[in-house]
Amino acid sequence: MTHLASARVGSAVIATLGMLTLGACSFDPPGPTAAQAEATLKADIDWLVKSTHAKDVTVTDEGGKDIPCGEGKAKRTYGVAGVDTSSIDEPVIIFNMLTGGLGKRGYKVVSVDWEKPSNESVKDKSRVRITVDSSRKKHFEIFGETQCLRASL
């Protein structure tokens, strides 16, 4: 093999390795399925409700099924509503208590509406989003959904 031919082969190998490296860097790991993310969502919402002074808690969206949202992908939802039994009557206080609880579970607030009050918090690692609403005196609603993820098997 001539020196020129050897250089061409070497360049082709380097170019191929470079493309493989770039491809590996842009590869998005599959992460959880919709069902796996839903399990986190339910556990976090149930924990939050148990850590408050709540009564008359009802499941408003039991989830448990894939909602198609893309090619071979799905999301899942879960929601509850209840009444706060603490001596605090201010919706903002209940709202802050619920939001603080989500913070303890690794959620970050991404939007707040102080008029209602309500907010959206996300837990990026688990790929879930939870909305807390305490706009009615002594009442709260917590609704969550997963991102559009691989459909459950």
Side-chain angles (χ1 to χ4, degrees), residues 22-52:
L22 286 174
C25 291
S26 64
F27 176 71
D28 185 27
T33 64
Q36 291 167 330
E38 179 191 33
T40 298
L41 181 67
K42 284 182 173 185
D44 289 346
I45 290 175
D46 290 346
W47 175 87
L48 183 60
V49 170
K50 287 176 186 170
S51 69
T52 64

Short mmCIF file of all heavy atoms in Angstrom, two decimals, residues 22-52:
data_model
loop_
_atom_site.label_atom_id
_atom_site.label_comp_id
_atom_site.label_asym_id
_atom_site.label_seq_id
_atom_site.Cartn_x
_atom_site.Cartn_y
_atom_site.Cartn_z
N LEU A 22 -19.89 11.65 17.53
CA LEU A 22 -20.94 12.67 17.49
C LEU A 22 -22.30 12.04 17.70
O LEU A 22 -23.15 12.56 18.41
CB LEU A 22 -20.92 13.44 16.17
CG LEU A 22 -19.79 14.44 16.00
CD1 LEU A 22 -19.81 15.03 14.60
CD2 LEU A 22 -19.91 15.55 17.03
N GLY A 23 -22.53 10.90 17.08
CA GLY A 23 -23.80 10.20 17.24
C GLY A 23 -24.02 9.77 18.67
O GLY A 23 -25.11 9.87 19.21
N ALA A 24 -22.97 9.32 19.33
CA ALA A 24 -23.09 8.90 20.72
C ALA A 24 -23.39 10.08 21.62
O ALA A 24 -24.14 9.97 22.58
CB ALA A 24 -21.81 8.19 21.16
N CYS A 25 -22.83 11.25 21.33
CA CYS A 25 -23.07 12.42 22.15
C CYS A 25 -24.50 12.91 22.03
O CYS A 25 -25.06 13.45 22.97
CB CYS A 25 -22.12 13.56 21.75
SG CYS A 25 -20.41 13.22 22.19
N SER A 26 -25.11 12.75 20.87
CA SER A 26 -26.46 13.25 20.68
C SER A 26 -27.51 12.20 21.02
O SER A 26 -28.69 12.48 20.97
CB SER A 26 -26.64 13.74 19.24
OG SER A 26 -26.52 12.65 18.35
N PHE A 27 -27.11 11.01 21.40
CA PHE A 27 -28.05 9.95 21.73
C PHE A 27 -28.73 10.26 23.06
O PHE A 27 -28.08 10.53 24.05
CB PHE A 27 -27.31 8.61 21.82
CG PHE A 27 -28.20 7.47 22.24
CD1 PHE A 27 -29.15 6.98 21.38
CD2 PHE A 27 -28.09 6.93 23.50
CE1 PHE A 27 -29.98 5.94 21.77
CE2 PHE A 27 -28.91 5.89 23.89
CZ PHE A 27 -29.86 5.39 23.02
N ASP A 28 -30.03 10.26 23.04
CA ASP A 28 -30.80 10.53 24.25
C ASP A 28 -31.16 9.20 24.89
O ASP A 28 -31.88 8.40 24.29
CB ASP A 28 -32.07 11.29 23.89
CG ASP A 28 -32.86 11.72 25.10
OD1 ASP A 28 -32.25 11.89 26.17
OD2 ASP A 28 -34.09 11.87 24.98
N PRO A 29 -30.68 8.92 26.11
CA PRO A 29 -31.00 7.64 26.73
C PRO A 29 -32.51 7.50 26.87
O PRO A 29 -33.22 8.48 27.07
CB PRO A 29 -30.31 7.71 28.09
CG PRO A 29 -29.92 9.11 28.30
CD PRO A 29 -29.90 9.79 26.97
N PRO A 30 -33.00 6.28 26.78
CA PRO A 30 -34.44 6.08 26.75
C PRO A 30 -35.17 6.54 28.00
O PRO A 30 -36.30 6.95 27.93
CB PRO A 30 -34.59 4.58 26.53
CG PRO A 30 -33.29 3.98 26.86
CD PRO A 30 -32.26 5.03 26.69
N GLY A 31 -34.56 6.49 29.15
CA GLY A 31 -35.23 6.91 30.37
C GLY A 31 -36.39 6.01 30.72
O GLY A 31 -36.52 4.90 30.20
N PRO A 32 -37.26 6.49 31.60
CA PRO A 32 -38.37 5.65 32.06
C PRO A 32 -39.46 5.51 31.00
O PRO A 32 -39.59 6.36 30.12
CB PRO A 32 -38.90 6.41 33.28
CG PRO A 32 -38.58 7.84 32.98
CD PRO A 32 -37.27 7.80 32.24
N THR A 33 -40.25 4.47 31.13
CA THR A 33 -41.45 4.36 30.31
C THR A 33 -42.52 5.24 30.96
O THR A 33 -42.35 5.72 32.10
CB THR A 33 -41.97 2.91 30.26
OG1 THR A 33 -42.37 2.53 31.59
CG2 THR A 33 -40.93 1.94 29.71
N ALA A 34 -43.62 5.42 30.27
CA ALA A 34 -44.71 6.21 30.83
C ALA A 34 -45.20 5.59 32.14
O ALA A 34 -45.48 6.30 33.11
CB ALA A 34 -45.85 6.33 29.82
N ALA A 35 -45.30 4.27 32.20
CA ALA A 35 -45.76 3.60 33.42
C ALA A 35 -44.78 3.78 34.57
O ALA A 35 -45.19 3.98 35.72
CB ALA A 35 -45.98 2.11 33.15
N GLN A 36 -43.48 3.73 34.29
CA GLN A 36 -42.48 3.92 35.33
C GLN A 36 -42.53 5.35 35.88
O GLN A 36 -42.47 5.57 37.09
CB GLN A 36 -41.09 3.60 34.80
CG GLN A 36 -40.89 2.13 34.52
CD GLN A 36 -39.64 1.85 33.70
OE1 GLN A 36 -39.21 2.68 32.88
NE2 GLN A 36 -39.08 0.67 33.89
N ALA A 37 -42.68 6.32 34.98
CA ALA A 37 -42.78 7.72 35.42
C ALA A 37 -44.07 7.94 36.21
O ALA A 37 -44.09 8.69 37.19
CB ALA A 37 -42.70 8.65 34.21
N GLU A 38 -45.14 7.26 35.79
CA GLU A 38 -46.41 7.39 36.50
C GLU A 38 -46.29 6.86 37.93
O GLU A 38 -46.88 7.43 38.87
CB GLU A 38 -47.53 6.65 35.78
CG GLU A 38 -48.86 6.74 36.51
CD GLU A 38 -49.91 5.80 35.95
OE1 GLU A 38 -49.55 4.69 35.49
OE2 GLU A 38 -51.09 6.17 36.00
N ALA A 39 -45.53 5.81 38.13
CA ALA A 39 -45.34 5.27 39.48
C ALA A 39 -44.70 6.31 40.39
O ALA A 39 -45.11 6.47 41.55
CB ALA A 39 -44.50 3.99 39.43
N THR A 40 -43.73 7.04 39.87
CA THR A 40 -43.09 8.12 40.63
C THR A 40 -44.11 9.22 40.91
O THR A 40 -44.20 9.73 42.03
CB THR A 40 -41.89 8.70 39.85
OG1 THR A 40 -40.93 7.66 39.67
CG2 THR A 40 -41.27 9.88 40.58
N LEU A 41 -44.86 9.59 39.89
CA LEU A 41 -45.87 10.63 40.02
C LEU A 41 -46.88 10.29 41.12
O LEU A 41 -47.14 11.11 42.01
CB LEU A 41 -46.58 10.77 38.66
CG LEU A 41 -47.66 11.82 38.52
CD1 LEU A 41 -47.06 13.20 38.63
CD2 LEU A 41 -48.35 11.65 37.18
N LYS A 42 -47.41 9.09 41.09
CA LYS A 42 -48.39 8.67 42.09
C LYS A 42 -47.77 8.64 43.49
O LYS A 42 -48.39 9.10 44.46
CB LYS A 42 -48.95 7.30 41.75
CG LYS A 42 -49.95 7.32 40.62
CD LYS A 42 -50.51 5.93 40.36
CE LYS A 42 -51.63 6.01 39.34
NZ LYS A 42 -52.28 4.70 39.13
N ALA A 43 -46.58 8.11 43.60
CA ALA A 43 -45.92 8.03 44.90
C ALA A 43 -45.69 9.42 45.49
O ALA A 43 -45.92 9.65 46.68
CB ALA A 43 -44.59 7.28 44.78
N ASP A 44 -45.27 10.37 44.65
CA ASP A 44 -45.01 11.72 45.13
C ASP A 44 -46.29 12.44 45.53
O ASP A 44 -46.34 13.11 46.57
CB ASP A 44 -44.26 12.53 44.07
CG ASP A 44 -42.82 12.07 43.90
OD1 ASP A 44 -42.30 11.32 44.76
OD2 ASP A 44 -42.20 12.45 42.88
N ILE A 45 -47.35 12.31 44.75
CA ILE A 45 -48.62 12.96 45.09
C ILE A 45 -49.22 12.32 46.34
O ILE A 45 -49.67 13.02 47.25
CB ILE A 45 -49.61 12.91 43.91
CG1 ILE A 45 -49.12 13.85 42.79
CG2 ILE A 45 -51.02 13.30 44.36
CD1 ILE A 45 -49.96 13.80 41.51
N ASP A 46 -49.20 11.00 46.43
CA ASP A 46 -49.74 10.32 47.61
C ASP A 46 -48.96 10.70 48.87
O ASP A 46 -49.54 10.94 49.93
CB ASP A 46 -49.75 8.81 47.41
CG ASP A 46 -50.79 8.37 46.38
OD1 ASP A 46 -51.69 9.16 46.01
OD2 ASP A 46 -50.70 7.21 45.92
N TRP A 47 -47.64 10.79 48.75
CA TRP A 47 -46.81 11.20 49.88
C TRP A 47 -47.18 12.62 50.31
O TRP A 47 -47.31 12.91 51.51
CB TRP A 47 -45.33 11.13 49.51
CG TRP A 47 -44.43 11.65 50.58
CD1 TRP A 47 -43.91 10.95 51.63
CD2 TRP A 47 -43.98 13.00 50.74
NE1 TRP A 47 -43.15 11.79 52.43
CE2 TRP A 47 -43.18 13.05 51.89
CE3 TRP A 47 -44.16 14.17 50.01
CZ2 TRP A 47 -42.57 14.22 52.34
CZ3 TRP A 47 -43.57 15.34 50.45
CH2 TRP A 47 -42.77 15.36 51.61
N LEU A 48 -47.36 13.50 49.33
CA LEU A 48 -47.68 14.89 49.62
C LEU A 48 -49.00 15.00 50.37
O LEU A 48 -49.10 15.71 51.37
CB LEU A 48 -47.75 15.68 48.31
CG LEU A 48 -48.00 17.18 48.41
CD1 LEU A 48 -46.89 17.86 49.22
CD2 LEU A 48 -48.09 17.79 47.01
N VAL A 49 -50.01 14.27 49.93
CA VAL A 49 -51.32 14.31 50.59
C VAL A 49 -51.21 13.76 52.01
O VAL A 49 -51.78 14.34 52.95
CB VAL A 49 -52.36 13.53 49.77
CG1 VAL A 49 -53.65 13.35 50.56
CG2 VAL A 49 -52.64 14.25 48.46
N LYS A 50 -50.46 12.69 52.20
CA LYS A 50 -50.31 12.09 53.54
C LYS A 50 -49.54 13.01 54.48
O LYS A 50 -49.72 12.93 55.70
CB LYS A 50 -49.61 10.75 53.45
CG LYS A 50 -50.52 9.67 52.87
CD LYS A 50 -49.79 8.36 52.70
CE LYS A 50 -50.69 7.37 51.99
NZ LYS A 50 -49.98 6.17 51.59
N SER A 51 -48.71 13.88 53.94
CA SER A 51 -47.90 14.76 54.79
C SER A 51 -48.64 16.05 55.16
O SER A 51 -48.10 16.89 55.86
CB SER A 51 -46.58 15.10 54.09
OG SER A 51 -46.80 15.93 52.98
N THR A 52 -49.87 16.21 54.69
CA THR A 52 -50.67 17.39 55.02
C THR A 52 -51.82 17.01 55.93
O THR A 52 -52.06 15.84 56.20
CB THR A 52 -51.24 18.04 53.73
OG1 THR A 52 -52.14 17.11 53.13
CG2 THR A 52 -50.16 18.43 52.77
#
